[in-house]
Amino acid sequence: MKIEITSKIIDITPAIRERIESRFEKLERLQVPLITPHVIVSKERLMFTVEASAGIPNGKLFAQAEHEDLYAAINELGQKLERQLNRHTEKPIARRANAALKEQPQPDEADA
């Protein structure tokens, strides 16, 4: 997968690129195709800010993380994207579970 990485202030070293790509490889394990992922790395004062956006079938993912350590910010960003992907893939299952609960007859309060 080709990940577009942009930074205006710091140089993207091979180690930073490798860390970002490894986080996105973990997202690929969920078997949801990521369409044109884009990562923006910036630094404001003492904090690194990492933003990522990627298209998925029937939606779009976006996450942002800030941390003093760039690698910690990348890990936090990966966790946020993973939660969003899990929510996206689990949504049909959650809806079916809710529908099943609503169909069950509720005991009347008068019977109690």
Side-chain angles (χ1 to χ4, degrees), residues 50-65:
V50 184
E51 296 178 3
S53 62
I56 56 174
N58 301 324
K60 186 170 175 103
L61 300 177
F62 177 80
Q64 179 179 1

Side-chain angles (χ1 to χ4, degrees), residues 60-78:
K60 186 170 175 103
L61 300 177
F62 177 80
Q64 179 179 1
E66 286 187 345
H67 201 275
E68 294 172 354
D69 179 26
L70 176 60
Y71 293 103
I74 293 170
N75 285 339
E76 187 178 329
L77 176 81

Side-chain angles (χ1 to χ4, degrees), residues 5-8 10-18 20 39-41 70:
I5 302 173
T6 306
S7 176
K8 294 180 182 174
I10 62 173
D11 291 332
I12 301 299
T13 63
I16 294 171
R17 180 174 295 280
E18 184 178 323
I20 291 171
V39 178
I40 301 171
V41 180
L70 176 60

Side-chain angles (χ1 to χ4, degrees), residues 27 31 34 44 47 61 66 69-70 78 80 88 94 103 105 111:
L27 296 176
Q31 298 181 351
L34 298 176
E44 294 179 15
M47 301 292 277
L61 300 177
E66 286 187 345
D69 179 26
L70 176 60
K80 288 180 179 183
H88 178 75
E103 291 175 6
D111 292 340

Side-chain angles (χ1 to χ4, degrees), residues 75-105:
N75 285 339
E76 187 178 329
L77 176 81
Q79 291 171 353
K80 288 180 179 183
L81 288 172
E82 189 173 351
R83 279 193 299 264
Q84 288 181 25
L85 265 179
N86 281 334
R87 192 176 315 128
H88 178 75
T89 57
E90 304 288 328
K91 187 184 279 188
I93 296 169
R95 285 185 179 164
R96 274 186 259 145
N98 265 347
L101 288 175
K102 289 180 182 178
E103 291 175 6
Q104 291 178 351

Side-chain angles (χ1 to χ4, degrees), residues 23-42:
R23 288 304 300 176
F24 274 87
E25 285 174 8
K26 288 183 180 182
L27 296 176
E28 285 184 328
R29 293 181 194 160
L30 297 173
Q31 298 181 351
V32 176
L34 298 176
I35 304 165
T36 62
H38 185 220
V39 178
I40 301 171
V41 180
S42 61

